[in-house]
Amino acid sequence: MTAIRRRAILAGTAALPLFAITRGAHAATFKLKMANNSPVTHPQSVRQKEAAERIRKATNGEVDIQLFPNNQLGSDTDMLSQLRTGAIDYFTLSGLILATLVPAASINGVGFAFKDYPTVWKTMDGKLGAYVRDQISQHGLLAMDKMWDNGFRQITSSTRPIKTPADLKGFKIRVPISPLWTSMFEAFGASPISINFSEVYSALQTKIAEGQENPLSLIQIAKLYEVQKYCSLTSHMWDGFWMLANPASFKRLPPAAQKIVADELNRAALEERDDIAKLNASVEADLKSKGLQFIEVDKPAFRAKLKSAGFYAEWKKKYGDHAWGLLESEVGTLT
Ligand code: X2X
């Protein structure tokens, strides 16, 4: 046997220990970082931690993902940069904020597109979701198949109740950093201010912003009700998180480990969706008991305002006929 061949065989066997049963403590081969912007008690963080644990077990400790929840590694904007350089390996980000890099990724947030959750999941687990994932990969990131639920977003305020679209005129509302959000609240005549979630509580407390909009589950878990008085049930958009991976980091894992990671993250996303669905059953009553005043609004009136402001026509043009067609084939005509 030549020296070269012997070396090749040795190199081959060196790769074998992945999943090999070992005795005692075993140093992890891949120490990876996962990050998010959600409080530690949010189902997103809980399910990500569980998934990391299952991945560790299924790979005999060789894929060791550590979770950094609650903006511990920075704001969404910071974490997106870190994901791209590989300083973070996995990161869940709202499709709308991801749109600062991948324009198509905000399409699920088009105002009043989805009437309910079954339509959301059919669309985002279907052709439109596949289209967006493809766009994400064309921009140098990898998205797992299953989106995580953030929720239907509702408007809160500390100054005055928002009852009609006209009440939004001049309203200083915090929105996440995303062209779609700014455009939508400008179409309502509001004064949107783009702020990362890591700064939202203090922005509301100090009245830099009068209001904000988020799903009830997050208003509850992030305790935004402490600094807000009114909540208008607009459900003006559905927002979800993509589980993004740094592609080079993911591809360094052996194929069997890649499959375990993807399967477990997708499973965790489905579990998180269920958790939010369960929370949704009780969250309004809980927030009422904490003093938040709820307002039922005429949603079609809000939608009509967006339409007359040219919002749908503008965004149809931006996304293009193909993407817009994929959305409308699930939700019906929007323009
Ligand atoms: O920034 C927000 O409001 C949040 C937490 O809902 C998102 O991640 C979009």
Side-chain angles (χ1 to χ4, degrees):
M1 196 185 285
T2 65
I4 289 174
R5 175 139 168 75
R6 199 171 306 123
R7 238 179 279 132
I9 289 171
L10 284 175
T13 48
L16 275 181
L18 187 84
F19 313 149
I21 295 164
T22 51
R23 259 175 245 145
H26 184 269
T29 313
F30 300 96
K31 277 207 165 290
L32 304 171
K33 287 185 183 160
M34 178 180 283
N36 73 39
N37 72 1
S38 295
V40 283
T41 55
H42 189 281
Q44 194 192 165
S45 300
V46 173
R47 295 300 186 179
Q48 285 171 4
K49 197 152 182 266
E50 287 175 2
E53 195 51 49
R54 290 197 299 264
I55 291 165
R56 207 172 291 126
K57 282 215 179 91
T59 61
N60 292 308
E62 296 204 320
V63 180
D64 182 7
I65 301 176
Q66 200 186 341
L67 177 67
F68 296 86
N70 204 24
N71 294 112
Q72 281 173 20
L73 299 185
S75 68
D76 277 332
T77 314
D78 297 332
M79 292 190 283
L80 179 58
S81 310
Q82 292 172 58
L83 179 75
R84 295 176 73 192
T85 62
I88 292 176
D89 302 282
Y90 299 91
F91 171 41
T92 28
L93 181 63
S94 160
L96 279 85
I97 302 176
L98 177 58
T100 54
L101 175 69
V102 184
S106 63
I107 193 160
N108 61 264
V110 166
F112 304 97
F114 294 109
K115 65 175 193 301
D116 56 20
Y117 271 110
T119 316
V120 166
W121 299 131
K122 185 164 177 284
T123 307
M124 301 320 291
D125 289 339
K127 284 188 188 144
L128 186 67
Y131 169 81
V132 174
R133 284 195 299 282
D134 182 57
Q135 289 291 310
I136 293 171
S137 91
Q138 287 187 33
H139 287 80
L141 291 174
L142 178 68
M144 299 295 147
D145 286 350
K146 299 292 177 191
M147 275 188 108
W148 299 58
D149 191 18
N150 191 4
F152 282 92
R153 299 179 76 98
Q154 322 296 345
I155 298 173
T156 64
S157 161
S158 65
T159 50
R160 55 193 157 103
I162 303 298
K163 294 177 179 159
T164 66
D167 293 330
L168 282 171
K169 197 163 176 5
F171 185 63
K172 280 194 290 172
I173 183 167
R174 171 272 171 173
V175 294
I177 297 173
S178 171
L180 183 71
W181 255 303
T182 308
S183 154
M184 185 163 164
F185 280 91
E186 278 172 358
F188 280 132
S191 304
I193 320 164
S194 304
I195 301 176
N196 273 305
F197 190 66
S198 46
E199 306 295 330
V200 166
Y201 189 97
S202 62
L204 296 171
Q205 197 172 31
T206 58
K207 303 245 166 39
I208 287 172
E210 296 173 80
Q212 64 88 46
E213 43 81 66
N214 249 305
L216 296 185
S217 48
L218 198 62
I219 292 168
Q220 179 191 48
I221 295 166
K223 300 194 189 316
L224 301 183
Y225 57 83
E226 292 177 351
V227 286
Q228 297 283 273
K229 231 192 225 156
Y230 307 102
C231 180
S232 305
L233 295 170
T234 49
S235 292
H236 52 274
M237 67 160 75
W238 177 79
D239 176 33
F241 301 100
W242 286 106
M243 171 58 81
L244 303 169
N246 174 285
S249 162
F250 188 74
K251 282 178 200 140
R252 270 196 293 277
L253 300 179
Q258 289 181 15
K259 182 167 171 6
I260 289 170
V261 170
D263 287 352
E264 291 300 346
L265 294 180
N266 287 329
R267 172 181 159 188
L270 298 183
E271 291 169 340
E272 188 263 4
R273 293 179 188 182
D274 275 354
D275 295 338
I276 299 279
K278 288 193 187 105
L279 273 180
N280 283 343
S282 61
V283 66
E284 192 177 326
D286 179 64
L287 288 169
K288 263 185 200 149
S289 78
K290 293 183 158 82
L292 201 63
Q293 293 175 40
F294 280 85
I295 298 139
E296 293 286 346
V297 302
D298 177 15
K299 290 180 203 149
F302 282 79
R303 182 177 171 144
K305 171 76 185 169
L306 286 185
K307 195 168 172 173
S308 67
F311 173 82
Y312 293 102
E314 179 191 339
W315 285 89
K316 178 180 180 179
K317 209 160 123 205
K318 284 194 173 137
Y319 293 122
D321 288 342
H322 177 64
W324 195 263
L326 290 175
L327 177 62
E328 284 194 333
S329 72
E330 297 290 357
V331 306
T333 307
L334 289 165
T335 43

